[in-house]
Amino acid sequence: VHAGAGGLGPELREHEAECRQTLIEALCGAQAVVERGGDAVDAVIAAVRVLEDFEYFNAGTGAALCSDGTVQLSAALMRGSDRAAGAVAGVRTIRNPIVAAQAVMQSHQVLMIGADAERVATAAGVEAQSPHAFVRDHMRARLAAHAHAHDRGTVGAVCLDRSGGLAAATSTGGITGQPPGRVGDTPLIGAGTWANDRVAVSCTGEGEAFIRSGTTRYVSMLVEAGAGLAEATAAALEDVAALGGDGGLIALDAGGRVAMPFTTESMPRGLWRAGADPTAWVAERDPVG
Amino acid sequence: VHAGAGGLGPELREHEAECRQTLIEALCGAQAVVERGGDAVDAVIAAVRVLEDFEYFNAGTGAALCSDGTVQLSAALMRGSDRAAGAVAGVRTIRNPIVAAQAVMQSHQVLMIGADAERVATAAGVEAQSPHAFVRDHMRARLAAHAHAHDRGTVGAVCLDRSGGLAAATSTGGITGQPPGRVGDTPLIGAGTWANDRVAVSCTGEGEAFIRSGTTRYVSMLVEAGAGLAEATAAALEDVAALGGDGGLIALDAGGRVAMPFTTESMPRGLWRAGADPTAWVAERDPVG
């Protein structure tokens, strides 16, 4: 799991223990799914739901505010075995956008936007809430101070289940002060989110650069061409950097290898492997990455 | 240029001469830009504007209707030299969505959706019109008859200019009877539209499969890895077919090589090279493709 690449501001330091605890809870949520025989898709949804519900991560409940003071949420989900995918962009009333992405995947669309996406989700039983419920005092203060330097990009999860199935999920509130209607890389399959039978990837960072790089599809192609996961993900972040973008990603291949590189000051992240305890890193650069 | 992969229905046969003439006009529009020293971006916009303005191609004025009888338009634009990109999705009031995509590119966003995208475009001087102006009798009849089998996917253009610059542009009205809020591959960089310094690609077909394939990014990676354009584009359409999708694409590399393959009955398309006359094919499978 990851909770967004970004700066190492006072907010992250102040809430470091809660951030770490939330990452662990997200991993435990995924672990519970996998240990009862659930698949990678359900596991990444379980993890991302926990991350979306934490007010200091930029997704769902903790989403950044647009320039007009509203939230616009995006999320995507992809299953590696058959490359089924679902995504939503620009939704304002869905508490857990990753569950709305699942509803879109089940509807046999791939990407739905705005109020129409909300209708598909709520018709499928996904929980809605007032758009005002997302607006938190600390986010309003951040918007007023133009303090997007303290944003973290996004949250995400990748999973390899007991049957060898891979999945990826990503969810975001965008950038503090972004124009309403802006969509970043998160809900775009092949940009911020990707899974096939070889690799699952979830990105975070300056979304426009990740879109223009086609980051996750690029990682996938490099892995298919024989690159190691560390090499492929480093090359992808170099391509993003060549377009002027910072960020990070988490990637997991069918052999269980993991890479979690980032080019920003920090990227809160965590890892669980069967037989081990979940572990999370918040301000630390090492050991993973 | 292309005007959408799809079936070879009575509408296309009846309007074959007008379709051919419109493709030629689109090529002439791009030719005029290139011959006065304009760049590839302006050339693909000029071509796509002509295609959007023709009532029997599925984009702009000729857009397919959603299940609620409205139009929702999407378009994307990408410049190869620096991978600058702009795109809009789910707009209802912009006569030429490709010009709105240009406005988004100039605003330093990449993807804007819905009414917010319309505001960015009209603030930049892009022409708006009533959403009702898009609703044509023949499209209303097609919606009533559930005749989406006669849809053509999309329109698009790729160009290599005199300075060696590449660009790609794609514009669509989606699928007759699609749920409002659905977004296909057209406005997604790396899925339906892509340009870098090696290749420019514009796709048409079953959008969900093209998204799940990451088609244009895939073509680009294969070309970068040394594949010929015919080989790379054939492999990409095979990957789309493996996901259950039909369609086609046009691709152009930095050496001026062209590929225009499709897996549907037809894909109206045209080609202009400096020193030659523009040529278009409507119902013909050969000679290009």
Side-chain angles (χ1 to χ4, degrees):
Chain A
V1 296
H2 72 82
L8 194 52
E11 191 176 280
L12 187 64
R13 292 189 186 279
E14 186 184 340
H15 299 283
E16 185 171 349
E18 293 161 84
C19 290
R20 189 182 312 276
Q21 183 57 32
T22 304
L23 291 164
I24 297 289
E25 282 170 19
L27 293 165
C28 289
Q31 176 179 359
V33 171
V34 169
E35 289 189 338
R36 68 167 183 261
D39 72 5
V41 168
D42 287 337
V44 293
I45 292 170
V48 168
R49 286 184 71 138
V50 172
L51 302 171
E52 285 177 337
D53 285 344
F54 179 59
E55 67 179 330
Y56 293 105
F57 291 156
N58 178 12
T61 293
L65 301 183
C66 296
S67 59
D68 63 357
T70 66
V71 294
Q72 290 203 353
L73 311 169
S74 296
L77 176 67
M78 193 167 188
R79 177 168 59 214
S81 59
D82 60 356
R83 285 189 269 167
V88 295
V91 300
R92 293 170 178 272
T93 64
I94 303 295
R95 182 176 162 184
N96 290 108
I98 196 63
V99 185
Q102 181 185 32
V104 172
M105 185 166 93
Q106 289 166 346
S107 79
H108 303 291
Q109 310 296 329
V110 170
L111 174 57
M112 298 280 300
I113 62 175
D116 296 307
E118 295 169 1
R119 274 190 282 275
V120 166
T122 53
V126 178
E127 184 183 356
Q129 66 182 19
S130 160
H132 306 293
F134 291 100
V135 181
R136 311 260 147 178
D137 286 344
H138 71 287
M139 299 309 288
R140 205 182 273 135
R142 189 185 292 183
L143 176 63
H146 305 286
H148 52 77
H150 294 162
D151 279 3
R152 346 221 93 247
T154 256
V155 306
V158 292
C159 181
L160 174 67
D161 64 30
R162 287 176 168 179
S163 307
L166 288 159
T170 317
S171 182
T172 193
I175 302 169
T176 296
Q178 72 181 2
R182 173 206 175 247
V183 176
D185 63 308
T186 296
L188 306 187
I189 300 303
T193 306
W194 177 265
N196 63 7
D197 56 2
R198 299 290 299 275
V199 66
V201 190
S202 170
C203 295
T204 164
E206 293 176 34
E208 280 69 15
F210 283 79
I211 297 174
R212 292 163 53 211
S213 171
T215 309
T216 59
R217 189 69 177 101
Y218 185 46
V219 169
S220 168
M221 289 282 297
L222 292 173
V223 168
E224 286 158 50
L229 204 60
E231 182 190 351
T233 56
L237 288 187
E238 273 169 33
D239 190 58
V240 171
L243 296 170
D246 279 335
L249 58 81
I250 57 174
L252 172 62
D253 72 13
R257 284 169 288 266
V258 171
M260 306 175 96
F262 53 98
T263 59
T264 51
E265 274 188 303
S266 68
M267 184 177 79
R269 62 210 181 278
L271 175 67
W272 171 70
R273 288 184 185 279
D277 289 330
T279 312
W281 303 266
V282 177
E284 305 94 327
R285 289 202 66 85
D286 297 321
V288 175
Chain B
V1 297
H2 72 82
L8 193 52
E11 192 175 281
L12 188 64
R13 293 190 185 279
E14 186 184 342
H15 299 283
E16 185 171 349
E18 291 161 84
C19 290
R20 189 182 312 276
Q21 184 57 33
T22 304
L23 291 164
I24 297 289
E25 282 170 21
L27 293 165
C28 289
Q31 176 179 359
V33 171
V34 169
E35 290 189 339
R36 69 168 181 260
D39 73 4
V41 168
D42 287 337
V44 293
I45 292 170
V48 167
R49 285 184 72 137
V50 172
L51 302 172
E52 285 177 338
D53 284 344
F54 179 57
E55 65 179 332
Y56 293 105
F57 291 156
N58 178 13
T61 293
L65 301 183
C66 297
S67 59
D68 64 356
T70 66
V71 294
Q72 290 203 353
L73 310 169
S74 295
L77 176 67
M78 192 165 189
R79 177 167 61 214
S81 58
D82 59 356
R83 284 189 271 167
V88 296
V91 300
R92 294 169 178 271
T93 64
I94 303 296
R95 180 175 162 183
N96 289 108
I98 196 63
V99 184
Q102 181 185 31
V104 172
M105 185 167 95
Q106 290 167 346
S107 79
H108 303 290
Q109 309 296 328
V110 171
L111 174 58
M112 298 280 299
I113 62 174
D116 296 308
E118 295 169 2
R119 274 190 282 275
V120 167
T122 53
V126 178
E127 184 184 355
Q129 65 182 21
S130 160
H132 305 293
F134 291 100
V135 181
R136 310 261 147 179
D137 285 343
H138 72 287
M139 299 309 288
R140 206 183 273 134
R142 189 185 291 183
L143 177 62
H146 306 286
H148 53 76
H150 294 163
D151 279 3
R152 347 221 92 250
T154 255
V155 306
V158 293
C159 180
L160 174 67
D161 63 31
R162 287 176 167 179
S163 308
L166 288 160
T170 317
S171 182
T172 193
I175 302 170
T176 296
Q178 72 181 3
R182 171 201 175 254
V183 176
D185 62 307
T186 295
L188 306 187
I189 300 304
T193 305
W194 177 265
N196 63 7
D197 56 4
R198 298 291 298 276
V199 67
V201 190
S202 170
C203 295
T204 164
E206 293 176 34
E208 279 70 15
F210 283 79
I211 297 174
R212 293 162 54 210
S213 171
T215 308
T216 58
R217 189 71 177 99
Y218 186 45
V219 169
S220 168
M221 289 282 296
L222 292 173
V223 168
E224 285 158 52
L229 204 60
E231 181 190 352
T233 56
L237 289 187
E238 273 169 33
D239 191 58
V240 171
L243 296 171
D246 279 336
L249 57 81
I250 57 174
L252 172 62
D253 71 15
R257 283 168 290 266
V258 171
M260 306 176 97
F262 53 99
T263 59
T264 50
E265 275 189 302
S266 69
M267 184 176 79
R269 61 209 182 280
L271 175 66
W272 171 68
R273 288 184 185 280
D277 289 328
T279 311
W281 302 267
V282 178
E284 305 94 329
R285 289 202 67 85
D286 298 321
V288 175

